[in-house]
């Protein structure tokens, strides 16, 4: 955790997911985006979880809880927007975990 973390991949994925609904990608691209967000999010989750509990801020704790819930719940429903909404939810949690790690780096308190 002493090395600066580059969260540019996370930021790029979040930007892809948090576009207006009118700019929603195709169903195939949304499915790929979900896979990419899960892969990136699992990496971030491992980094946040590696922070000693005494140094873990409420933001970091919340991000871990949100991630666990989102992964366990999966997309809700079977309408055309279900997977897109799930991608957007994952993106917000990825954004939160990356932010918590950046805060930790800046303040040495996650």
């Amino acid at each position: 955790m002493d090395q600066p973390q580059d969260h540019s991949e996370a930021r790029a994925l979040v930007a892809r997911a948090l576009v207006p609904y009118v700019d929603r990608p195709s169903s195939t691209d949304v499915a790929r985006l979900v896979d990419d967000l899960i892969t990136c999010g699992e990496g971030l989750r491992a980094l946040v979880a590696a922070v000693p509990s005494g140094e873990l801020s409420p933001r970091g704790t919340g991000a871990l809880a949100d991630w666990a819930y989102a992964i366990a719940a999966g997309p809700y429903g079977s309408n055309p927007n279900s997977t897109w909404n799930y991608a957007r939810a994952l993106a917000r949690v990825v954004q939160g975990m990356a932010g918590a790690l950046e805060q930790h780096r800046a303040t040495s308190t996650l």
Side-chain angles (χ1 to χ4, degrees):
M1 288 291 295
D2 292 339
Q3 297 176 349
Q5 300 295 321
D6 176 12
H7 302 296
S8 58
E9 178 188 5
R11 283 190 295 276
L13 289 170
V14 167
R16 283 175 45 204
L18 298 183
V19 298
Y21 274 83
V22 69
D23 296 327
R24 183 178 88 186
S26 71
S27 296
T28 301
D29 289 339
V30 170
R32 283 189 202 119
L33 178 59
V34 167
D35 289 343
D36 293 344
L37 284 162
I38 290 172
T39 299
C40 180
E42 281 299 316
L44 292 171
R45 184 207 53 78
L47 291 172
V48 174
V51 174
S53 61
E55 296 178 25
L56 194 60
S57 73
R59 183 178 187 180
T61 301
L64 289 175
D66 289 347
W67 184 255
Y69 175 81
I71 293 300
Y76 182 76
S78 60
N79 69 61
N81 287 324
S82 296
T83 305
W84 176 237
N85 289 334
Y86 184 57
R88 294 168 64 84
L90 290 173
R92 287 184 178 94
V93 180
V94 164
Q95 186 175 48
M97 287 191 291
L101 289 167
E102 289 166 2
Q103 178 184 0
H104 179 262
R105 182 178 54 203
T107 65
S108 295
T109 302
L110 184 61

